[in-house]
Amino acid sequence: MTFQPTITIEPFRIKSVEPLGHTTLAERRAALERAGLNVFQLRADEVLIDLLTDSGTGALSAAQWGAMLQGDESYAGSRSFFKMESAVQRITGYRHVLPTHQGRAAEHILFSAVLTPGAIVPSNTHFDTTRANLQLLDLDARDLLIAEGREPMREHPFKGNLDVQRLEALIAEVGRDRIPLVMLTVTNNGGGGQPVSLANLRAVSAVCRRHGIPFFLDACRFAENAMFIKLREPGYADRTPLEIAQEMFALADGCTMSAKKDGLVNIGGFLALNDDVWAERCRNRMIPIEGFPTYGGMAGYDMEALAVGLEEVLDPRYLQYRLDQAAYLGERLLAAGVPIVRPTGGHAVFVDAGALLAHLPWHAFPGAALSAYLYEISGVRSCEIGSLLFGLKHADGSDAPAPNELLRLALPRRMYTRAHLDYVAEAVAYAAAHRHAIRGLRFTYEAPVLRHFTARFAWAETGERGGGSVEQVLARQLVR
Ligand SMILES: *Cc1c(COP(=O)(O)O)cnc(C)c1O
């Protein structure tokens, strides 16, 4: 007989701690009022548990802090650059590595250096910054996600997959010359952190190679994607996350990366690629806007921390804990009758606020209303991913609804324990039980672009009423 634990424990112990921002209900009400009911406008000190984003918010390891003391801040030829370069090359195999301050800078450099206006760039789902960078250069960003990926309640192991038939059809329709680049986001952040299978990566790669189209990964969560492959794709259970990641990158010609995600650092990113001509153009583009090629947008100590982070992130124990954290929070919410996007992805749990607050119309922003209410009752900060964030407009300029009204509970890496997640689950369950008390929001200020960051709201007087019991809401949501 051997001891078989049923719990996944945090695979680390805590060496350095930071107090949480405890507040009273009255203090949170005052803070919310000052913030115009928009959690982006809160001060972090007013937040107890911060699940706004998993980007750059994680904890560094003792090994990373140790490495940072050895940062070489030389302008040219920094020793820290070569450490980071070899850490990136070990995983990706790409010849050229260009450090940038964030993922979006890597995107901008790549697109502006090698693409020309009017071209089409397909992906499973372009992340907001990728889409914005393409659009700023008059490039056409196309999302070709499989149909299953667009249905929040549909169970599928690889909901981030790209629809290869639609890619082939697009190439046949517009011609290879209009498509100078294909991208694939792993995991698919815009679609709920859902993974892409190696079979799909292989199929997309084969289409690209047949047509001679360069193929790049948006690799922000490559390690979480590799772990999903290990756990879900037949034939990969015995492979290490490193081996799987190497296989993923080998199918592509380059990648853009936000190190604030699976780099396990607070700031940084890179562009990595094989093609010498494109690399030279990208380096020439990078120097005036980011910096000299051996630091780009990063300090020497940041590159040291990234080199260590890229090793730590591929530890299967870390990745198992990481994915189990999201699954655990998801299960607790489902047990409390809270509708969530299934299965849970790698970095967050998404609550279906539209289904939960069925008494609110989409233009009363149920996700943002739930986010404000959740903060008010518990001090937990979350983020709306719905009609407010997407800001879609009809041709006449009036607001249009997003496909789903979601509330994202993003999990910073190595930051919160299971007790913290239990607290979050209790708070969301309380909000669900009191959902009829949650009113909709109306704008008192709306900025012309990226309105969700700066918007100010008031609680709407009365929304449309409806809703029913949690069971009725769940039943309705299951047949959608
Ligand atoms: C965060 C993110 C980016 C942009 O990275 P930044 O470091 O925030 O600039 C690009 N793509 C995906 C999938 C992301 O999650």
Short mmCIF file of all heavy atoms in Angstrom, two decimals, residues 55 102-105 107 127 129-130 185 187 189 218 220-221 258 260-261 268, ligand 1:
data_model
loop_
_atom_site.label_atom_id
_atom_site.label_comp_id
_atom_site.label_asym_id
_atom_site.label_seq_id
_atom_site.Cartn_x
_atom_site.Cartn_y
_atom_site.Cartn_z
N SER A 55 -1.16 38.64 -15.89
CA SER A 55 -0.04 39.18 -16.67
C SER A 55 0.93 39.98 -15.81
O SER A 55 0.61 41.08 -15.36
CB SER A 55 -0.59 40.07 -17.79
OG SER A 55 0.46 40.62 -18.52
N GLN A 102 7.68 44.04 -23.69
CA GLN A 102 6.46 43.24 -23.48
C GLN A 102 6.18 42.50 -24.78
O GLN A 102 6.82 42.75 -25.81
CB GLN A 102 5.26 44.13 -23.15
CG GLN A 102 5.32 44.76 -21.79
CD GLN A 102 3.98 45.31 -21.31
OE1 GLN A 102 3.99 46.25 -20.54
NE2 GLN A 102 2.85 44.76 -21.72
N GLY A 103 5.14 41.67 -24.74
CA GLY A 103 4.75 40.93 -25.94
C GLY A 103 4.31 41.85 -27.07
O GLY A 103 4.61 41.61 -28.24
N ARG A 104 3.59 42.91 -26.73
CA ARG A 104 3.05 43.79 -27.77
C ARG A 104 4.15 44.47 -28.57
O ARG A 104 3.95 44.78 -29.75
CB ARG A 104 2.09 44.81 -27.14
CG ARG A 104 2.73 45.77 -26.18
CD ARG A 104 1.70 46.46 -25.31
NE ARG A 104 1.07 45.54 -24.37
CZ ARG A 104 0.03 45.86 -23.59
NH1 ARG A 104 -0.51 47.05 -23.65
NH2 ARG A 104 -0.46 44.98 -22.75
N ALA A 105 5.31 44.71 -27.97
CA ALA A 105 6.42 45.32 -28.72
C ALA A 105 6.98 44.31 -29.72
O ALA A 105 7.34 44.68 -30.84
CB ALA A 105 7.51 45.77 -27.75
N GLU A 107 5.25 42.02 -31.18
CA GLU A 107 4.26 41.99 -32.27
C GLU A 107 4.47 43.18 -33.20
O GLU A 107 4.49 43.03 -34.43
CB GLU A 107 2.83 42.10 -31.68
CG GLU A 107 2.43 40.89 -30.85
CD GLU A 107 1.26 41.19 -29.91
OE1 GLU A 107 0.70 42.31 -29.95
OE2 GLU A 107 0.89 40.29 -29.13
N PHE A 127 -5.13 37.95 -29.96
CA PHE A 127 -5.29 38.66 -28.69
C PHE A 127 -5.50 40.16 -28.99
O PHE A 127 -5.10 40.63 -30.06
CB PHE A 127 -4.04 38.43 -27.83
CG PHE A 127 -4.10 39.10 -26.50
CD1 PHE A 127 -5.02 38.69 -25.55
CD2 PHE A 127 -3.25 40.14 -26.18
CE1 PHE A 127 -5.08 39.31 -24.31
CE2 PHE A 127 -3.30 40.76 -24.95
CZ PHE A 127 -4.22 40.35 -24.01
N THR A 129 -4.03 42.96 -28.19
CA THR A 129 -2.88 43.78 -28.59
C THR A 129 -2.40 43.38 -29.99
O THR A 129 -1.96 44.22 -30.76
CB THR A 129 -1.70 43.62 -27.62
OG1 THR A 129 -1.32 42.24 -27.57
CG2 THR A 129 -2.05 44.11 -26.23
N THR A 130 -2.50 42.08 -30.30
CA THR A 130 -2.08 41.59 -31.61
C THR A 130 -3.00 42.19 -32.68
O THR A 130 -2.54 42.70 -33.70
CB THR A 130 -2.17 40.05 -31.64
OG1 THR A 130 -1.75 39.55 -30.39
CG2 THR A 130 -1.31 39.48 -32.73
N THR A 185 -2.35 31.28 -31.38
CA THR A 185 -2.17 31.71 -30.00
C THR A 185 -2.29 30.50 -29.07
O THR A 185 -3.32 29.83 -29.07
CB THR A 185 -3.25 32.75 -29.63
OG1 THR A 185 -3.33 33.73 -30.67
CG2 THR A 185 -2.91 33.44 -28.33
N THR A 187 -1.77 29.20 -25.07
CA THR A 187 -3.15 28.82 -25.22
C THR A 187 -3.94 30.01 -25.77
O THR A 187 -3.42 31.13 -25.81
CB THR A 187 -3.76 28.41 -23.85
OG1 THR A 187 -3.65 29.55 -22.96
CG2 THR A 187 -3.04 27.25 -23.22
N ASN A 189 -5.90 32.81 -25.41
CA ASN A 189 -6.31 33.71 -24.33
C ASN A 189 -7.70 34.27 -24.59
O ASN A 189 -8.59 34.19 -23.75
CB ASN A 189 -5.29 34.85 -24.19
CG ASN A 189 -5.56 35.73 -22.99
OD1 ASN A 189 -6.47 35.48 -22.21
ND2 ASN A 189 -4.78 36.77 -22.83
N ASP A 218 1.94 32.82 -31.14
CA ASP A 218 1.85 33.78 -30.04
C ASP A 218 1.97 32.88 -28.82
O ASP A 218 1.02 32.21 -28.42
CB ASP A 218 0.52 34.53 -30.09
CG ASP A 218 0.34 35.48 -28.91
OD1 ASP A 218 1.02 35.28 -27.89
OD2 ASP A 218 -0.48 36.40 -29.00
N CYS A 220 2.64 33.12 -25.53
CA CYS A 220 2.58 33.62 -24.14
C CYS A 220 2.38 32.52 -23.10
O CYS A 220 2.96 32.56 -22.04
CB CYS A 220 1.46 34.64 -24.00
SG CYS A 220 1.72 36.07 -25.04
N ARG A 221 1.53 31.52 -23.42
CA ARG A 221 1.24 30.46 -22.44
C ARG A 221 1.63 29.10 -23.03
O ARG A 221 0.88 28.12 -22.93
CB ARG A 221 -0.23 30.53 -22.02
CG ARG A 221 -0.56 31.82 -21.27
CD ARG A 221 -2.00 31.95 -20.84
NE ARG A 221 -2.24 33.24 -20.20
CZ ARG A 221 -2.41 34.39 -20.86
NH1 ARG A 221 -2.40 34.39 -22.18
NH2 ARG A 221 -2.60 35.51 -20.21
N SER A 258 5.03 37.20 -24.59
CA SER A 258 4.97 38.07 -23.43
C SER A 258 5.50 37.26 -22.26
O SER A 258 4.86 36.33 -21.79
CB SER A 258 3.54 38.51 -23.15
OG SER A 258 3.48 39.13 -21.88
N LYS A 260 5.58 38.02 -19.35
CA LYS A 260 4.75 38.28 -18.17
C LYS A 260 3.79 37.14 -17.89
O LYS A 260 3.14 37.12 -16.86
CB LYS A 260 3.97 39.58 -18.37
CG LYS A 260 4.86 40.78 -18.60
CD LYS A 260 4.09 42.02 -18.98
CE LYS A 260 3.32 42.56 -17.79
NZ LYS A 260 2.72 43.89 -18.11
N LYS A 261 3.68 36.21 -18.81
CA LYS A 261 2.84 35.04 -18.61
C LYS A 261 3.76 33.86 -18.28
O LYS A 261 4.27 33.78 -17.18
CB LYS A 261 1.99 34.76 -19.86
CG LYS A 261 0.81 35.70 -20.12
CD LYS A 261 1.11 37.14 -20.16
CE LYS A 261 -0.02 38.04 -20.56
NZ LYS A 261 -0.14 38.31 -21.97
N GLY A 268 8.68 42.01 -19.52
CA GLY A 268 9.60 41.50 -20.52
C GLY A 268 8.88 40.70 -21.59
O GLY A 268 7.70 40.37 -21.46
C1 LIG B 1 -0.61 39.31 -22.81
C2 LIG B 1 -0.70 38.82 -24.20
C3 LIG B 1 -0.10 39.52 -25.27
C4 LIG B 1 0.57 40.86 -25.09
O1 LIG B 1 1.60 40.83 -24.19
P1 LIG B 1 1.99 42.10 -23.29
O2 LIG B 1 3.20 41.65 -22.57
O3 LIG B 1 0.83 42.38 -22.41
O4 LIG B 1 2.26 43.21 -24.23
C5 LIG B 1 -0.18 38.96 -26.52
N1 LIG B 1 -0.82 37.80 -26.73
C6 LIG B 1 -1.41 37.10 -25.73
C7 LIG B 1 -2.07 35.80 -26.02
C8 LIG B 1 -1.37 37.59 -24.45
O5 LIG B 1 -1.96 36.91 -23.46
#
